[in-house]
Amino acid sequence: MRMFRLAATVAALLLSLAASAQVQAEAQSTLRIGLAEDPDVLDPTMARTYVGRIVFAALCDKLFDIDEKLNIVPQLALSHETSADGKEVTIKLRPGVKFQDGEPFDAEAAKFSLERHLTFPGSFRKPELASIDHIDVVDPLTIKLVLKAPFSPLIAQLTDRAGMMVSPKAAKAAGDKFGLHPVCAGPYKFVERVQQDRIVLEKFADYWNKDNVFIDRVVYLPIVDATVRLANLKSGGLDLIERVLATDLKDVRADSRLKVSSAIELGYQGVTLNIGKDKAKGPLSQSAKVRQALDLSIDREAINQVVFNGEFKPGNQWVSPDHPYYQKDFPIRPRDVEKAKALLKEAGVTPPVSVDFMVPKGPETEATAQVMQSMAAEAGFDLKIRVTEFATSLKQAEAGEYQAYMLAWSGRIDPDGNSYVFLHKDAPQNYSAWANPEADKALDDARLTTDMAQRKAIYARLTKLELEDEAILYIYHRRIIIAHTTKLDGYKQMPDGLVRVVGLKLK
């Protein structure tokens, strides 16, 4: 009997402990975010994907950030000052900041992170920071970036992955495995990642702005199918989803339990045309007139209405018509099928013009491609759509294994970030292999001045050249559409499309 009572007491105690643990677990708030893809490596030096940037927004603070109006604002840096000749940029750092391993963030750590971005084998940040000759530590909380030449987009670059700071201790210990357990100075620290399933972060107790962090855990769940993402949000399995389809907006807005946040993106959706690497030497790569004809066959506003219910913004440049650097002297040309046919005739081309059209897999890109295919056919083009998995499409684009390629760019706040990397002869993402010395000079010149009027005049030269040669057909600018439960308070959508978690609360 005594043994029975003892066993019963132990059992009751275990049940009590289990219940207590359950209550504690339930008391922890968790924000569940549905992503449209699984990010690539979680190392800001090596990362390339847009969804990776969404995760980094909670994991890795940057030297600077942006606000809703595209102003550059302090984050881990407090201020910056550029010398009169534009070749020295002095940055004051925020005091009292710690990395998620407890190591202090100071000038030496900032220097280490920037030098890692510049020198690490295979770094994708190296081209973004290539203007830096060397970095000096002025004092424990001040660094000086000494440049090879003036570089006006530099501070804008530091609002993205190039400005993310990593723990020197952790990075040195991990080497090329750092992305498996990243250690940064953001509001949430890394817990675990299960590829194609989830990424788990938890609140960092010593975060410099911890008084504005109200949620204990953030879990990112890659769900490729937009319909399934929305169904999970509606059922309560997710709290927020990114990239809601424009065609689902009516449904989301009709649900009283959900809210929509949106902004026109900084980037663009375009069709890159293979000019310099087309092994087949098709008419599209051999003649600007043929490329102009394809452009004239497309009705951008019709695409917006048919595919996106009028929610997106038609465009013809690397920045949207709302952007301060948009060139109003070069408006969108109206569709003109007869002129397109005449241009093909002038080019000595007999229709139909067959085009290998590589399109990344996805409902919106595929629908857009089908509408374009139908439109272009009326002008004498036979767009042969080849739906391709996104990562594979990038590899094929780099190899020049396509003739037209529908490619989205998430965008950067400075126009240089939307143009140089795709249009300069030697740029790493010039998939078109377009080479125009005048365009290269314009791209280089725009980096040498911070005066907006001067830069805008330079970009006007570039716009004219690009619209004549048509390396990229800019088609539209997406509306970033985020949907979340009404239980989530404080969410604001920024034009860069990232999900910022500081300041958010779950009711």
Side-chain angles (χ1 to χ4, degrees):
M1 183 64 73
R2 188 179 300 164
M3 286 298 291
F4 175 78
R5 282 198 298 269
L6 180 61
T9 302
V10 170
L13 180 60
L14 288 172
L15 281 170
S16 173
L17 289 170
S20 174
Q22 179 68 21
V23 167
Q24 285 180 351
E26 288 174 356
Q28 271 210 333
S29 54
T30 301
L31 176 64
R32 298 156 301 172
I33 297 175
L35 302 176
E37 297 117 22
D38 196 33
D40 61 346
V41 63
L42 294 179
D43 179 341
T45 299
M46 304 301 294
R48 297 177 75 183
T49 60
Y50 166 61
V51 279
R53 292 170 67 217
I54 293 176
V55 176
F56 284 134
L59 184 63
C60 299
D61 274 8
K62 305 158 292 190
L63 290 173
F64 301 93
D65 201 3
I66 64 166
D67 65 15
E68 295 104 312
K69 296 181 180 178
L70 301 184
N71 296 310
I72 294 175
V73 296
Q75 197 167 60
L76 292 178
L78 289 178
S79 65
H80 66 92
E81 186 176 329
T82 303
S83 62
D85 64 1
K87 294 177 73 171
E88 292 183 353
V89 179
T90 303
I91 299 174
K92 295 280 186 184
L93 304 176
R94 186 179 296 279
V97 175
K98 288 183 181 178
F99 289 105
Q100 291 144 355
D101 58 359
E103 292 291 302
F105 168 70
D106 55 17
E108 290 290 351
K111 178 180 177 175
F112 171 87
S113 290
L114 292 169
E115 288 181 343
R116 183 176 188 268
H117 289 326
L118 277 166
T119 62
F120 200 78
S123 168
F124 284 105
R125 307 289 80 81
K126 184 177 179 179
E128 298 166 8
L129 299 174
S131 62
I132 298 175
D133 181 76
H134 64 275
I135 301 157
D136 293 333
V137 171
V138 178
D139 62 45
L141 289 173
T142 309
I143 55 171
K144 182 187 288 182
L145 311 185
V146 181
L147 311 184
K148 300 168 188 171
F151 184 65
S152 55
L154 179 61
I155 300 301
Q157 297 283 27
L158 299 177
T159 68
D160 205 336
R161 287 167 295 203
M164 291 178 188
M165 301 287 103
V166 301
S167 163
K169 181 181 177 182
K172 288 173 186 173
D176 62 0
K177 302 291 191 294
F178 180 75
L180 298 177
H181 196 110
V183 180
C184 295
Y188 289 84
K189 61 183 181 180
F190 181 82
V191 176
E192 67 166 342
R193 178 177 191 176
V194 179
Q195 211 78 29
Q196 303 294 333
D197 182 67
R198 67 185 181 274
I199 295 168
V200 181
L201 311 180
E202 68 179 25
K203 184 163 65 174
F204 173 43
D206 289 327
Y207 180 55
W208 64 270
N209 193 17
K210 62 185 175 185
D211 291 345
N212 284 312
V213 179
F214 305 107
I215 294 170
D216 298 306
R217 284 196 150 207
V218 183
V219 180
Y220 298 91
L221 301 156
I223 301 172
V224 175
D225 190 305
T227 304
V228 176
R229 275 200 311 282
L230 180 55
N232 273 271
L233 180 67
K234 287 185 158 198
S235 68
L238 293 171
D239 303 297
L240 181 150
I241 60 173
E242 55 112 3
R243 270 179 280 180
V244 175
L245 298 180
T247 46
D248 286 336
L249 259 178
K250 185 178 178 182
D251 185 23
V252 175
R253 285 171 176 153
D255 192 326
S256 61
R257 301 166 301 166
L258 303 180
K259 287 183 73 174
V260 173
S261 292
S262 71
I264 292 294
E265 68 175 347
L266 294 171
Y268 61 81
Q269 177 84 49
V271 179
T272 300
L273 304 180
N274 188 346
I275 295 175
K277 289 184 179 179
D278 180 18
K279 298 178 182 71
K281 303 290 183 187
L284 205 60
S285 65
Q286 301 305 298
S287 171
K289 287 184 178 179
V290 177
R291 297 191 290 273
Q292 289 167 13
L294 178 59
D295 192 347
L296 285 168
S297 75
I298 296 164
D299 187 332
R300 289 161 169 79
E301 183 52 45
I303 290 172
N304 184 36
Q305 295 298 331
V306 171
V307 184
F308 308 113
N309 291 348
E311 294 286 348
F312 289 5
K313 187 171 281 288
N316 67 333
Q317 298 171 31
W318 48 87
V319 293
S320 86
D322 296 339
H323 197 282
Y325 276 93
Y326 182 78
Q327 302 290 333
K328 292 180 181 176
D329 290 341
F330 299 93
I332 297 169
R333 299 172 202 154
R335 185 180 191 232
D336 191 334
V337 173
E338 292 310 312
K339 188 172 181 182
K341 289 178 179 178
L343 282 169
L344 289 182
K345 192 173 181 179
E346 286 176 30
V349 173
T350 304
V353 178
S354 178
V355 178
D356 171 36
F357 189 17
M358 183 166 65
V359 178
K361 186 175 178 59
E364 291 186 337
T365 50
E366 290 175 49
T368 302
Q370 288 161 9
V371 173
M372 288 179 62
Q373 181 186 53
S374 177
M375 289 174 171
E378 294 178 28
F381 289 90
D382 178 16
L383 300 185
K384 298 183 183 298
I385 295 172
R386 177 164 56 89
V387 177
T388 310
E389 189 270 327
F390 180 64
T392 303
S393 76
L394 281 177
K395 289 177 184 175
Q396 293 190 6
E398 288 168 355
E401 296 170 1
Y402 75 98
Q403 290 179 318
Y405 175 31
M406 183 169 283
L407 179 62
W409 176 241
S410 56
R412 301 294 182 265
I413 62 169
D414 190 277
D416 178 88
N418 284 5
S419 54
Y420 196 102
V421 73
F422 297 105
L423 298 175
H424 197 282
K425 179 188 174 185
D426 299 319
Q429 287 164 266
N430 182 354
Y431 301 131
S432 174
W434 184 45
N436 185 311
E438 288 183 69
D440 289 350
K441 185 174 188 318
L443 285 160
D444 291 332
D445 287 350
R447 290 182 157 188
L448 299 177
T449 177
T450 56
D451 182 270
M452 184 172 176
Q454 289 180 24
R455 291 188 86 205
K456 198 163 182 180
I458 294 166
Y459 281 122
R461 286 164 28 208
L462 178 65
T463 304
K464 183 176 184 295
L465 293 165
E466 201 287 325
L467 291 176
E468 287 171 353
D469 250 6
E470 302 269 34
I472 300 172
L473 308 185
Y474 302 95
I475 308 298
Y476 61 85
H477 305 272
R478 294 167 296 187
R479 182 172 292 281
I480 299 155
I481 306 172
I482 301 283
H484 61 84
T485 171
T486 52
K487 293 178 181 177
L488 183 66
D489 271 349
Y491 188 78
K492 293 178 183 177
Q493 188 53 55
M494 300 293 187
D496 60 7
L498 306 189
V499 178
R500 288 163 173 78
V501 291
V502 173
L504 299 186
K505 294 180 181 179
L506 276 170
K507 291 187 274 189

